[in-house]
Amino acid sequence: MRKSGLILLFGLIILLALSMLALGCADDGGNNGGDDDQPSGPISGTLVLGGDGVDYKMPTIYEKEIQTLIVFHNSSGIYYQAMDASDPQAVDMMGSTSVPWSVGQYAMNENYFVWNVADSYRHRWNGTTEFAQTGSLVPGLCISRDLRDLDVLVGTRPGGQLYKIALSTFTDPKEREPITLVDPGTSISMSVGSFTCKGSVAIVGTTDGRLFKVNLDDANPTAQKLAEGQHFGGVLQYADPWVAWVDQETNDIMTYNFTDAAVPAVAVNVDPLNTNAALIVDLRLFGTVLVWSDNSNGNYDLWAADLETMNDENDYIQVTNEANDQRYPFLHGSEIYWEDHRNGDFAEIWKGTMPAL
């Protein structure tokens, strides 16, 4: 009797364990199509700015000397605020209600903060604010250095023309230096559709679907073709050796790796079975970590993947799973910041510790 009782007890323990395992596999924590083995579930985060009847949108974190600054905008203008302060400083009070904001709207370095509203302006961090109209620029503008070690704004005008604008002489709206990119195969000038740069390296996506690498230090920049037949959506993301973008036809996240010089590959597929119209937006690349928003769960949530460690196009994690939309993720160290709409009419900025990838 004692032996049979032990066998029965042992059998009940095994059944209980199998039942718990089955329940765990069935509950993916709201992660439809992502990594089912996510070690830490979606984070709720903590409020950074908001709750006072004012919008706080599209956070960007920047280190300025010994301060950590958070840049944001609302319908009144653009502001920045030190992390250890409670008094936002106005950068531009011209308003931004009619601006289609997106990733790539700001460009910063230790000397300048440049942004694009209806036109492009500059702000100097040294306590004085100067504005100079240069004409509309497409999101993706960035600050580079020329051969004289001077700060240069590089951006794309609507219509596909790339420009250099010397920031130290940014008082005349006509002081623009066109960058003519000649197709190495046809000797015809290229039309730029998507763009980004880091240092002297520019990554260009043309309007006819080709991907190029450009050395901005060249007097007459030469373009090295990397790929063709692509469908660039939004701003290109570059962190050597990776380039990333959203394919506007398939809505997959595509990558190109300079290390293996391979053809572009699908890095993330949010809808592998094509069962919904999930839309990827706000894509950013920090080192090897991709962060983005998509509405595969019915509203916009934040997601992430590590290009260095991921095994396949479904090996990504869900970062947030709150009510309404969470958008514009920005990774700063181990913390991720974002624009959050969980509390109703006004956007807030929240942050949390980035889950393990």
Side-chain angles (χ1 to χ4, degrees):
M1 292 293 292
R2 182 177 299 175
K3 184 175 181 180
S4 61
L6 288 174
I7 293 174
L8 178 60
L9 178 61
F10 183 67
L12 289 173
I13 291 173
I14 292 176
L15 286 173
L16 180 61
L18 290 173
S19 298
M20 292 179 66
L21 179 61
L23 287 172
C25 292
D27 180 11
D28 65 359
N31 183 6
N32 296 332
D35 182 4
D36 291 331
D37 299 322
Q38 181 172 338
S40 54
I43 59 175
S44 179
T46 58
L47 179 66
V48 177
L49 291 169
D52 54 1
V54 176
D55 277 323
Y56 296 87
K57 295 185 174 182
M58 205 173 75
T60 301
I61 313 301
Y62 183 68
E63 298 291 343
K64 171 63 177 172
E65 296 173 349
I66 61 173
Q67 286 187 310
T68 301
L69 305 176
I70 182 167
V71 180
F72 58 91
H73 81 272
N74 55 36
S75 59
S76 299
I78 303 172
Y79 303 83
Y80 72 90
Q81 178 175 313
M83 285 295 191
D84 57 355
S86 58
D87 53 336
Q89 305 296 311
V91 176
D92 168 23
M93 294 294 290
M94 298 181 68
S96 59
T97 54
S98 62
V99 177
W101 288 92
S102 68
V103 169
Q105 211 84 38
Y106 304 142
M108 308 178 199
N109 72 355
E110 63 271 21
N111 298 317
Y112 296 96
F113 170 40
V114 182
W115 60 97
N116 195 34
V117 185
D119 300 288
S120 181
Y121 301 86
R122 76 159 173 179
H123 168 71
R124 298 189 67 170
W125 287 118
N126 64 4
T128 62
T129 303
E130 300 177 36
F131 302 97
Q133 190 173 14
T134 66
S136 178
L137 294 175
V138 174
L141 62 163
C142 63
I143 299 175
S144 182
R145 290 283 175 90
D146 65 12
L147 294 176
R148 296 170 296 172
D149 202 33
L150 296 176
D151 295 311
V152 176
L153 175 67
V154 185
T156 309
R157 292 290 305 278
Q161 179 67 63
L162 198 63
Y163 282 92
K164 284 184 180 179
I165 305 170
L167 290 172
S168 59
T169 57
F170 202 43
T171 55
D172 183 345
K174 295 182 180 179
E175 289 191 22
R176 297 189 296 264
E177 176 188 347
I179 303 175
T180 300
L181 298 180
V182 176
D183 186 328
T186 64
S187 298
I188 299 174
S189 179
M190 296 186 297
S191 177
V192 179
S194 300
F195 165 79
T196 190
C197 76
K198 294 280 181 68
S200 63
V201 176
I203 307 298
V204 171
T206 62
T207 53
D208 61 358
R210 291 172 297 164
L211 184 68
F212 290 87
K213 179 181 180 182
V214 178
N215 183 0
L216 294 173
D217 282 345
D218 291 347
N220 297 299
T222 55
Q224 172 192 354
K225 189 173 78 171
L226 307 175
E228 57 187 0
Q230 304 303 306
H231 309 96
F232 305 108
V235 179
L236 293 172
Q237 296 291 301
Y238 170 58
D240 190 47
W242 294 96
V243 181
W245 65 94
V246 178
D247 187 301
Q248 65 180 1
E249 285 198 353
T250 65
N251 201 44
D252 298 327
I253 298 177
M254 306 293 297
T255 57
Y256 180 91
N257 188 327
F258 286 104
T259 302
D260 55 23
V263 296
V266 176
V268 172
N269 184 349
V270 302
D271 187 17
L273 300 179
N274 297 314
T275 56
N276 58 46
L279 181 64
I280 294 175
V281 294
D282 314 327
L283 176 68
R284 280 176 166 158
L285 176 61
F286 299 92
T288 63
V289 177
L290 284 170
V291 290
W292 71 93
S293 307
D294 74 51
N295 60 349
S296 56
N297 285 342
N299 60 277
Y300 284 99
D301 298 305
L302 305 185
W303 307 76
D306 190 333
L307 294 174
E308 195 169 64
T309 61
M310 64 188 307
N311 297 312
D312 56 48
E313 61 194 34
N314 297 311
D315 189 9
Y316 57 91
I317 66 167
Q318 185 169 0
V319 179
T320 64
N321 188 24
E322 297 297 320
N324 302 323
D325 293 339
Q326 287 75 51
R327 293 193 53 182
Y328 299 111
F330 194 97
L331 197 59
H332 182 255
S334 63
E335 300 287 328
I336 183 169
Y337 293 75
W338 66 87
E339 176 186 314
D340 200 298
H341 295 260
R342 74 181 71 181
N343 288 325
D345 296 332
F346 294 98
E348 301 169 335
I349 293 175
W350 286 62
K351 73 170 184 177
T353 300
M354 185 70 177
L357 292 168

